[in-house]
Amino acid sequence: MTSPRGGGLHAQVDAVWKLESARVVAALTRMVHDVGLAEELAQDALVAALEQWPADGVPANPGAWLTAVAKRRAVDHLRRAERAERAHDAAAHADAVPAAEPDDEADVLRLMFLSCHPVLPTEGRLALTLRLLGGLSADEIARAFLVDGTTVARRIADAKRTLAEAGAAFAMPGREELAARLSSVLEVVYLVFNEGYAATSGQDLLRGDLCGQALRLGHRLAALAPSEPEVHGLVALMELQASRAAARTAADGTPVPLHEQDRGRWDPVHVRRGFTAMLRARDLGGGGGPYVLQAAIAVCHAQARRPEDTDWAAIAALYDRLAAAWPTPVVALNRAVAVGRARGPAEGLALVDALRDDPRLRDYHLLPVVRADLLARLGRADEARREYARAAALTRNDAERALLDARAADLAVPPAGPTLADLTAAFLAGLDDPARRAYGQTVRRLLRGLGGDTPPAAVTGDDVARVLTAAWGGAAAATWNRHRAAVRSLAAWADRPDLAAGLARRAPDTVPAPPVDPARVAALCADPAVPVRERALWSLLHESGAPVRAVLALDVVDLDRDDRATHDGTVTWRSRTARLLDELLDGRERGPVFRTDRGPRTRLSYERAEYLAKRRTTGELTLGRLRARR
């Protein structure tokens, strides 16, 4: 074992998890036949690692350690569920040394097809597979999808529940349904590869473990479906992009753009593999699918010995076809880059500016990067500098931020007067604490969208409207009106009423759902058919009016049951809840108040609690309606 030091432990555990989580979850799914439970058990093993490795050191084979601990948790779960015979078989399988090693990659592929099951919506398939196969966090997946982390977490929870309710089998699809399920699998593999090839957060630009996993899965898929051109196109694309890995970073770790890379450092083995896969795709008649088209673009780059030899006209023509076949905002942005090289920066900038109002790109740092590059080529240095600075503020990758900061500094000129950041800082400084917190989110979004060092005189009402519309145009009316009010206050303070002129107030979207009738709550809490955990939770929410997540976070030691309140006085309850808590806790002195059935330290999640409330009341009850006080 190796002894971790300081904060290095979390980096080691994260690296192990990214590499091993798919195999751990796949092995558990084969045991418990429930992908949601399998992932929770794997997370339990991860928590155990964080608790034990600081004292014991990182094991020589951390993946095997995680798998063994998780399997023991799975066996305990099966026994607790009174499936003694099955638990015995599982224990024997987990503890015995088999005659032949199990095919871990085959399990991983089964897990991938399960995650991409047709009962799930597309976004659910992608989010769940990235979570289970790539070991990515909800925030990392959100960056890949250009959505927020809360949305991704909900998609993952919904996908697990849907698979469990549908009884989806942990097995490879039959021949007749294989082709129909490949497209979502291919998309997921490429998203895993992209997270490894251009990490969205952290200090490093590359995550070789994710790239390697995606390549392995891609080649396995090619062997599984040898007559599918898009599979070979994806393999070609990943191989050709992987060939550039050594040339993508400078000695200090900062990224090197494609047109500045030393092509002598591109890996010829990956290039040959990419060309071979591309030829196979073309032999099969491929040419119009998104992965074959992207691979053809990568081939154009790989065939140019020097950046100046690149056939940008051919690449732009391929992007025209790709944008028609796969009309995503990121493809449109990449097309703008190619058009800017082939047909001039002015034409490329016009295409980029048409994308600035797309809410899916509002926090995508490469949009201002591309715009900055085009502005710099047009000689508009000050605008380019502000776009580089804005991109640096948006990226969460340290290596990319260093490069973008340096590019902005290269174009820097002494400011002629106050900046937008100066203006907003002075505005916030004059507010009391509640108003400063309320307006802070709006101001931060304006600074990200417009650039903090932009002169206030250069900002127009159309600019402000564009930023707010991209950020909250699809939000509820109350959210939109709150941010509109903040901008109106800023505009009035700065004597610039024009800044808020394009922001119209919106009428309320819907009438809030009424709280649950207290008599109905009393009936539910007295129903012996409802488990005491749910009755105690519902009663506590109804009597206290406390936030749902705060109640779910309570531990037994937080409760002063004699005074019917938490020790800090933030949550109080009455006699009905007191009786139910006595029944629920039944002598317990520590641990979560509301826990799952998996173990004494496992806390009931908000998503699970909400699902149980809806299921047990056929959709009548939600936790939010319960906490409305009388």
Side-chain angles (χ1 to χ4, degrees):
M1 290 194 173
T2 59
S3 298
R5 296 184 178 180
L9 171 67
H10 285 278
Q12 287 178 279
V13 174
D14 183 65
V16 169
W17 184 250
K18 290 287 194 299
L19 186 63
E20 301 291 346
S21 61
R23 282 189 283 271
V24 176
V25 175
L28 292 170
T29 304
R30 177 156 37 84
M31 291 178 66
V32 301
H33 303 285
D34 181 337
V35 70
L37 175 60
E39 209 246 336
E40 291 172 0
L41 292 168
Q43 290 286 339
D44 288 347
L46 181 62
V47 171
L50 289 170
E51 292 174 347
Q52 296 183 36
W53 291 3
D56 300 341
V58 178
N61 190 336
W65 190 97
L66 287 169
T67 301
V69 170
K71 284 185 174 181
R72 286 197 293 272
R73 300 289 174 93
V75 171
D76 290 343
H77 170 81
L78 295 174
R79 286 173 175 155
R80 280 197 303 271
E82 297 182 355
R83 288 178 272 182
E85 182 178 353
R86 185 175 176 188
H88 176 77
D89 293 341
H93 177 76
D95 297 336
V97 178
E101 289 295 318
D103 188 345
D104 289 343
E105 287 299 317
D107 273 350
V108 171
L109 280 172
R110 292 186 188 98
L111 181 63
M112 175 167 288
F113 277 97
L114 179 62
S115 301
C116 297
H117 198 283
V119 297
L120 301 177
T122 300
E123 63 271 14
R125 300 176 202 177
L126 298 175
L128 182 62
T129 308
L130 282 171
R131 174 70 170 169
L132 300 182
L133 273 295
L136 306 187
S137 68
D139 285 342
E140 289 169 330
I141 299 169
R143 295 287 293 182
F145 283 120
L146 304 179
V147 296
D148 60 89
T150 302
T151 297
V152 169
R154 184 173 64 251
R155 289 175 182 175
I156 292 171
D158 289 347
K160 291 177 183 176
R161 183 168 60 251
T162 300
L163 288 175
E165 292 174 349
F170 182 63
M172 291 297 295
R175 183 181 299 275
E176 64 282 356
E177 60 176 328
L178 182 61
R181 301 217 357 223
L182 267 179
S183 60
S184 61
V185 174
L186 293 174
E187 188 171 4
V188 166
V189 172
Y190 192 39
L191 282 171
V192 173
F193 179 86
N194 274 342
E195 179 58 33
Y197 188 69
T200 56
S201 62
Q203 297 180 347
D204 300 321
L205 183 68
L206 292 166
R207 291 177 179 170
D209 54 342
L210 289 182
C211 289
Q213 184 184 65
L215 279 167
R216 286 193 298 273
L217 290 171
H219 282 288
R220 288 296 300 270
L221 284 170
L224 178 69
S227 60
E228 294 290 335
E230 278 290 89
V231 176
H232 298 284
L234 175 58
V235 171
L237 176 60
M238 293 191 298
E239 290 285 5
L240 291 169
Q241 289 185 327
S243 72
R244 309 171 195 156
R248 290 190 66 233
T249 54
D252 60 359
T254 56
V256 179
L258 179 61
H259 63 277
E260 298 176 12
Q261 290 176 13
D262 177 3
R263 301 192 174 203
R265 299 184 65 195
W266 288 5
D267 188 332
V269 175
H270 280 299
V271 172
R272 285 196 299 271
R273 289 174 180 167
F275 284 174
T276 299
M278 187 62 182
L279 289 172
R280 178 62 176 157
R282 287 177 174 170
D283 289 344
L284 291 169
Y291 296 108
V292 174
L293 286 171
Q294 290 180 88
I297 292 168
V299 166
C300 288
H301 286 296
Q303 288 175 330
R305 292 183 177 274
R306 301 174 304 166
E308 54 267 31
D309 297 333
T310 304
D311 189 348
W312 283 108
I315 291 175
L318 286 167
Y319 266 117
D320 289 343
R321 295 174 59 194
L322 181 61
W326 201 17
T328 70
V330 174
V331 168
L333 182 62
N334 290 336
R335 175 173 173 259
V337 174
V339 168
R341 291 285 177 180
R343 306 167 196 168
E347 191 168 341
L349 183 62
L351 294 175
V352 173
D353 285 347
L355 298 170
R356 296 176 74 190
D357 293 336
D358 193 319
R360 293 169 293 179
L361 297 176
R362 68 187 184 194
D363 286 336
Y364 191 51
H365 72 285
L366 292 182
L367 177 63
V369 168
V370 171
R371 195 165 189 273
D373 290 344
L374 293 166
L375 287 167
R377 290 173 57 201
L378 288 168
R380 296 159 62 177
D382 194 48
E383 294 175 81
R385 175 184 57 80
R386 293 200 297 267
E387 290 294 289
Y388 281 132
R390 190 164 77 88
L394 288 173
T395 185
R396 289 161 44 185
N397 184 278
D398 296 343
E400 283 190 311
R401 185 181 302 110
L403 173 67
L404 295 169
D405 282 336
R407 292 197 167 190
D410 288 342
L411 298 171
V413 294
T419 65
L420 184 61
D422 297 329
L423 178 75
T424 55
F427 167 67
L428 292 174
L431 302 175
D432 58 23
D433 285 343
R436 189 179 303 118
R437 288 193 296 270
Y439 291 169
Q441 183 184 17
T442 312
V443 167
R444 288 191 297 273
R445 174 63 65 185
L446 286 175
L447 293 178
R448 285 200 299 272
L450 300 173
D453 58 354
T454 301
V459 179
T460 68
D462 288 343
D463 293 331
V464 173
R466 173 177 55 79
V467 172
L468 259 68
T469 300
W472 296 293
T479 300
W480 169 265
N481 291 336
R482 174 166 55 86
H483 294 292
R484 172 183 177 270
V487 172
R488 284 170 58 85
S489 296
L490 171 63
W493 176 86
D495 197 22
R496 288 283 309 277
D498 59 298
L499 294 180
L503 303 174
R505 180 177 177 79
R506 295 181 182 172
D509 299 312
T510 57
V511 177
V516 182
D517 184 346
R520 176 60 174 148
V521 177
L524 288 169
C525 292
D527 186 351
V530 178
V532 67
R533 177 186 61 187
E534 277 72 68
R535 288 186 282 144
L537 173 61
W538 300 346
S539 182
L540 180 54
L541 287 172
H542 191 258
E543 291 187 350
S544 71
V548 177
R549 294 188 186 277
V551 169
L552 289 171
L554 290 174
D555 288 316
V556 178
V557 295
D558 298 329
L559 308 182
D560 186 336
R561 291 159 66 185
D562 292 331
D563 286 346
R564 298 179 182 176
T566 55
H567 290 297
D568 60 9
T570 58
V571 181
T572 62
W573 55 90
R574 298 195 289 272
S575 58
R576 182 184 66 207
T577 298
R579 291 193 301 272
L580 290 169
L581 285 175
D582 287 342
E583 182 180 353
L584 173 68
L585 299 180
D586 191 25
R588 281 200 284 131
E589 297 181 355
R590 61 177 57 87
V593 173
F594 301 103
R595 61 189 187 183
T596 67
D597 299 326
R598 298 196 310 275
R601 294 183 298 176
T602 309
R603 194 179 305 278
L604 183 66
S605 69
Y606 181 98
E607 293 78 13
R608 182 66 176 171
E610 182 79 356
Y611 165 71
L612 291 172
K614 291 179 180 178
R615 190 187 71 176
R616 297 191 193 284
T617 62
T618 62
E620 170 195 2
L621 192 64
T622 66
L623 302 182
R625 292 181 66 198
L626 270 170
R627 63 177 291 252
R629 298 190 69 172
R630 300 283 173 196

